[in-house]
Amino acid sequence: MTTSRFAAVLPDLAPWRSSRDFRLLFFQGVVTFFGSFMALIALPLQIKELTDSPLAVGAMGAVELVPLVVLGLYGGALADAVDRRKLILLTEAGLGLLALVLLVNALLPQPLLWPLYVVAAGVSGLTGLQRPALDSYMARIVPHDQLTAAAALNALRYQIGAIAGPSLAGLTVAYAGHAAAYAVTVTGFALSVLLCSRLSPAPPSHDAERPSLGGILEGARYAWSRPVLLGTYAVDLAAMFFAFPNTIFPFLADELDATWAIGLMYAAGSVGSLLLGLTSGWASRVHRHGLLVVFGAASWGLAVAAAGWFGNIWVVLVCLAVAGAGDMLSGLGRATIWNQTIPEELRGRLAGIEVLSYSVGPQLGQLRAGAVAGWTGTRSAFWSGGLACVGSVALLAVLLPKLITYDARTDEDARRRRAAKEAAAAPAA
């Protein structure tokens, strides 16, 4: 009995067993996220070293915003019109080249500041272009009844890189310099390109439209007509805008006299997410995924606020881990709702909107956190943003009640999507 109960909370490995492409993407994600997080930590640390300004670090969010919005929407339309595998492969190679630029700049006798912002904007744009193809590819290769399990495993691959990357990045930058961290990133992207080249082709349907503004607007109209989808987007945007303090971690570490813990601060949220992911077997039996979205986002905000109240670094790290678990919970609910309800012919375009919902918030949140920290102090940037997150999530839950009442067993869009996937799989059976 004890063994069966323990097994019931372990991650559901059904997608791993059923799909070769899922296994390839899992390993690709681990490699990419590890290398990316090395650069993600090294880049703000390098800007801090060159400027000693929280606003200059937070400005990364501003330069990343426009390319993310434009190419995220276009990437969604493109993902419905071209082979998604090719799009993933080309953008992954482009990200590797941008990492190489960071490496070359770091090796200069006097590294320049402006290339750091240019690369940040380029990475944001390519990520916006790639993620709709990547997300919609995942929905194609995993059976409908395994989508929640796949979301949990995808989050695990992200957290593995998000824990190891930041933890080692702080040490790498401190003892070997920024160039060493960027070199690891370049190597990671080289390996990732090799793995992506082995994915199965994912051509568009024979009647797919060419990317166009009209096609993008069609996807936007569909999203606007679905209160459940609107709720997932709005809750995540609010949570990330008000309570995404990552860019001011170095300044909080200074205030707490714990510069040694910068890498741990970046990794703490992922530790919490990983712990939740490792006990996510129960999530495959959940049907009210909207509740996960709201409760997880509110928990994230409350924990971020608590991190700004306490002055002990170990307590702060625990708060950040709890925040990460809340974010993971909300992310599981969002990903499942998206993959359960959106029709295949709109999957790419809606994935483009999803990219904006979970990426624009952090970009603006970086700017908000840096500005508030510069005006009122680092600690207040944490607790004020966390409380604003909780309040905004509660308000959205009231304004969009269908998100709370969503049930995968009875929702009409979820039932149609399930029937379509079963019909598509029937000939192969």
Side-chain angles (χ1 to χ4, degrees), residues 239-324:
M240 294 298 103
F241 174 73
F242 288 115
F244 190 81
N246 292 29
T247 54
I248 56 174
F249 281 164
F251 299 93
L252 182 61
D254 286 346
E255 288 192 16
L256 298 178
D257 195 25
T259 54
W260 54 269
I262 291 176
L264 295 178
M265 293 174 72
Y266 280 104
S270 296
V271 171
S273 296
L274 180 64
L275 291 176
L276 184 69
L278 290 174
T279 57
S280 62
W282 56 269
S284 295
R285 299 183 292 276
V286 171
H287 304 287
R288 301 284 298 278
H289 301 101
L291 289 175
L292 299 185
V293 174
V294 171
F295 181 76
S299 300
W300 156 271
L302 190 60
V304 168
W309 292 328
F310 294 105
N312 182 285
I313 182 60
W314 295 108
V315 177
V316 170
L317 290 173
V318 171
C319 291
L320 294 176
V322 173

Side-chain angles (χ1 to χ4, degrees), residues 25 28 83-93 130 133-134 137 196 199:
L25 282 179
Q28 176 269 338
D83 189 320
R84 292 168 185 171
R85 170 187 169 275
K86 290 181 180 178
L87 185 54
I88 294 168
L89 184 60
L90 290 174
T91 50
E92 196 75 359
Q130 181 192 73
L134 195 60
Y137 185 87
C196 287
L199 292 170

Side-chain angles (χ1 to χ4, degrees), residues 194-210:
L194 290 176
L195 289 169
C196 287
S197 67
R198 299 185 59 197
L199 292 170
S200 301
S205 59
H206 68 280
D207 57 349
E209 299 179 6
R210 296 182 62 182

Side-chain angles (χ1 to χ4, degrees), residues 91-326:
T91 50
E92 196 75 359
L95 290 167
L97 290 175
L98 289 176
L100 185 60
V101 172
L102 290 177
L103 174 59
V104 172
N105 182 62
L107 292 172
L108 296 176
Q110 295 293 330
L112 303 172
L113 178 62
W114 65 264
L116 304 183
Y117 290 110
V118 171
V119 169
V123 168
S124 180
L126 284 177
T127 300
L129 201 62
Q130 181 192 73
R131 286 304 296 268
L134 195 60
D135 291 348
S136 55
Y137 185 87
M138 190 70 65
R140 174 179 288 192
I141 63 176
V142 175
H144 188 87
D145 60 350
Q146 297 176 13
L147 289 173
T148 302
L153 292 174
N154 284 338
L156 280 180
R157 68 171 184 160
Y158 174 86
Q159 304 308 336
I160 291 171
I163 293 170
S167 299
L168 293 177
L171 296 174
T172 301
V173 170
Y175 293 103
H178 297 92
Y182 296 142
V184 173
T185 303
V186 172
T187 303
F189 276 112
L191 293 174
S192 177
V193 168
L194 290 176
L195 289 169
C196 287
S197 67
R198 299 185 59 197
L199 292 170
S200 301
S205 59
H206 68 280
D207 57 349
E209 299 179 6
R210 296 182 62 182
S212 66
L213 179 60
I216 294 173
L217 291 176
E218 181 185 0
R221 283 193 295 269
Y222 180 88
W224 185 259
S225 69
R226 298 309 194 266
V228 174
L229 292 180
L230 281 181
T232 64
Y233 303 148
V235 166
D236 194 42
L237 276 169
M240 294 298 103
F241 174 73
F242 288 115
F244 190 81
N246 292 29
T247 54
I248 56 174
F249 281 164
F251 299 93
L252 182 61
D254 286 346
E255 288 192 16
L256 298 178
D257 195 25
T259 54
W260 54 269
I262 291 176
L264 295 178
M265 293 174 72
Y266 280 104
S270 296
V271 171
S273 296
L274 180 64
L275 291 176
L276 184 69
L278 290 174
T279 57
S280 62
W282 56 269
S284 295
R285 299 183 292 276
V286 171
H287 304 287
R288 301 284 298 278
H289 301 101
L291 289 175
L292 299 185
V293 174
V294 171
F295 181 76
S299 300
W300 156 271
L302 190 60
V304 168
W309 292 328
F310 294 105
N312 182 285
I313 182 60
W314 295 108
V315 177
V316 170
L317 290 173
V318 171
C319 291
L320 294 176
V322 173

